[in-house]
Amino acid sequence: MSQNLYDIPLTSIEGTALTLKQFEGKVLLVVNVASRCGLTPQYEGLEKLYQDKRTQGLEVLGFPANNFKEQEPGSDEEIRAFCSTSYDVTFPLFSKISVVGGDQHPLYSSLTNSQPAATGDGPFRERLKSYGIEPNTAPDVLWNFEKFLVSRDGRVVGRFSPDIVSDDPRLVAAIDAELGLAP
């Protein structure tokens, strides 16, 4: 049994020690983010999703990670400034962590072990190969902007490929189902 997600020690991007306990009872979309990635414009859609659904109980949580082609080299302060000035991000951001490898953060160990396969990762996996990048094997995170959906009771109920954007019908349907919104 993996560790309870709500008990894993984390640090906000401002440097405050915390856990996900403060988000208990909400639907969480946990995303590993990066500032210098071809997928970085997803920040805009993630912020829109957050604004559209946060009153219904959705929290988008961004975890900067520098695991893929060093596309998140900045300090927490630089990342926070970039997200604020470039994309007007208001959803919670956390201190930079590692999402794969020997120094993988316990949060990501728990997420990936709970949900080893991602919806829609085949095409993105092939795209990485076409760029000469050997993709990670499951259950490892494939790339920046992979998304994990966590239910109100802390269960990992979905995982979505990095190139599934915030308004993709598969993601929206899964979020709405967890929020209890009629289709």
Side-chain angles (χ1 to χ4, degrees), residues 111-165:
L111 290 169
T112 56
N113 288 328
S114 296
Q115 194 69 250
T119 297
D121 80 347
F124 194 76
R125 190 173 291 282
E126 291 307 311
R127 197 159 97 208
L128 288 174
K129 288 180 185 173
S130 77
Y131 292 131
I133 299 168
E134 188 54 41
N136 290 333
T137 56
D140 281 347
V141 170
L142 189 56
W143 202 255
N144 302 308
F145 290 90
E146 192 154 320
K147 297 150 195 81
F148 290 86
L149 185 61
V150 179
S151 67
R152 291 183 190 271
D153 63 359
R155 291 175 301 111
V156 184
V157 294
R159 179 175 176 177
F160 298 88
S161 174
D163 60 339
I164 291 182
V165 294

Side-chain angles (χ1 to χ4, degrees), residues 38-57:
L39 302 176
T40 300
Q42 286 192 33
Y43 269 124
E44 185 176 346
L46 290 168
E47 178 63 24
K48 181 177 184 335
L49 181 66
Y50 177 63
Q51 293 299 331
D52 290 349
K53 297 192 183 283
R54 70 181 180 171
T55 57
Q56 286 95 358

Side-chain angles (χ1 to χ4, degrees), residues 23-88:
F23 301 107
E24 195 168 14
K26 300 209 174 185
V27 174
L28 308 179
L29 188 65
V30 178
V31 187
N32 58 300
V33 295
S35 302
R36 296 185 183 168
C37 174
L39 302 176
T40 300
Q42 286 192 33
Y43 269 124
E44 185 176 346
L46 290 168
E47 178 63 24
K48 181 177 184 335
L49 181 66
Y50 177 63
Q51 293 299 331
D52 290 349
K53 297 192 183 283
R54 70 181 180 171
T55 57
Q56 286 95 358
L58 177 69
E59 289 286 343
V60 175
L61 307 178
F63 288 86
N66 195 34
N67 294 104
F68 305 101
K69 294 285 186 191
E70 299 178 350
Q71 294 179 340
E72 188 51 273
S75 67
D76 285 352
E77 183 52 45
E78 289 167 333
I79 294 164
R80 187 170 65 159
F82 170 82
C83 290
S84 177
T85 58
S86 300
Y87 292 100
D88 199 23

Side-chain angles (χ1 to χ4, degrees), residues 2-11 19-20 28 30-32 61-63 94-95 97-99 103-114 141 148 150 154 156:
S2 57
Q3 187 175 8
N4 181 325
L5 291 179
Y6 297 128
D7 297 335
I8 297 170
L10 298 166
T11 305
T19 65
L20 294 181
L28 308 179
V30 178
V31 187
N32 58 300
L61 307 178
F63 288 86
F94 293 80
S95 185
I97 62 171
S98 178
V99 299
D103 61 345
Q104 181 185 49
H105 193 280
L107 174 65
Y108 269 79
S109 176
S110 186
L111 290 169
T112 56
N113 288 328
S114 296
V141 170
F148 290 86
V150 179
V156 184

